[in-house]
Amino acid sequence: MTTTIEPTLDLDDYLADIGDRIRAERQARGWSQDELAARAGMNRRTIRSLENGIGTLRAFAQACAGLQVEMAHLLSGQWRLPARHPSLTVRQAQVLRVVADGRPLAVAAPVLGMTPEGLASVLSGIYRRLGVVDVARDRRRQAAVRVASDHGLFDQEIRTS
């Protein structure tokens, strides 16, 4: 007599998959963990735990509500990794507009009420958000301007993350 052992659902793997899906949905929207937490009425620590596969069904439901995604869809086999659409805060778009002409940071920083170091830090964040960090340094700013322009990030006054 042969016994067949049915594969069991590994709950830890399942929760980790749910966490990965929540993270993917959040990142596709260009949101930080803080942003999702605010939209879901939760704290960032809970979002971080959910994304790490640790949480309650209630917390998961709240995160889905914050993402405006049906929980059943997120759990289904129909769910697909969403396409990431770049986004910038209003301030980031303003900064990128000012430096778009290639002026040196020392010249652009006072226009923005920043130090050159602070401006460099903000630009680094913009480059990460727009996915151009791997572009050669001398072409990175123009690549960021091109991505922002292609996605209408300069056209909309309110395009936040």
Side-chain angles (χ1 to χ4, degrees):
M1 176 177 191
T2 319
T3 34
T4 306
I5 299 175
E6 293 293 321
T8 59
L9 173 66
D10 183 351
L11 186 57
D12 290 336
D13 285 344
Y14 190 65
L15 292 173
D17 185 50
I18 291 169
D20 290 343
R21 290 177 182 207
I22 290 172
R23 180 182 305 104
E25 291 284 345
R26 175 183 60 78
Q27 290 176 338
R29 289 160 177 75
W31 296 351
S32 67
Q33 288 179 335
D34 287 327
E35 174 97 17
L36 176 54
R39 290 172 180 263
M42 306 168 85
N43 63 49
R44 184 181 67 195
R45 187 175 359 160
T46 304
I47 297 297
R48 187 179 14 199
S49 293
L50 284 172
E51 290 183 359
N52 288 326
I54 303 165
T56 64
L57 183 57
R58 180 179 180 175
F60 173 62
Q62 277 184 260
C64 286
L67 290 164
Q68 296 180 330
V69 172
E70 292 291 326
M71 187 167 35
H73 174 70
L74 199 69
L75 293 172
S76 77
Q78 302 301 315
W79 180 87
R80 297 290 175 257
L81 185 65
R84 183 169 182 153
H85 300 287
S87 65
L88 294 174
T89 65
V90 173
R91 178 66 172 162
Q92 287 172 327
Q94 176 190 31
V95 166
L96 193 55
R97 267 190 223 100
V98 169
V99 301
D101 61 3
R103 69 180 85 178
L105 299 186
V107 174
V111 172
L112 294 161
M114 305 172 80
T115 64
E117 296 80 17
L119 178 55
S121 177
V122 169
L123 284 172
S124 292
I126 291 169
Y127 299 153
R128 278 191 306 277
R129 288 184 74 133
L130 297 180
V132 298
V133 292
D134 58 338
V135 174
R137 184 177 297 210
D138 62 332
R139 290 180 280 168
R140 194 173 297 152
R141 193 182 308 180
Q142 285 312 111
V145 169
R146 186 173 41 259
V147 169
S149 180
D150 290 350
H151 287 88
L153 301 179
F154 293 134
D155 301 337
Q156 297 177 330
E157 281 302 310
I158 309 290
R159 174 100 179 199
T160 61
S161 63

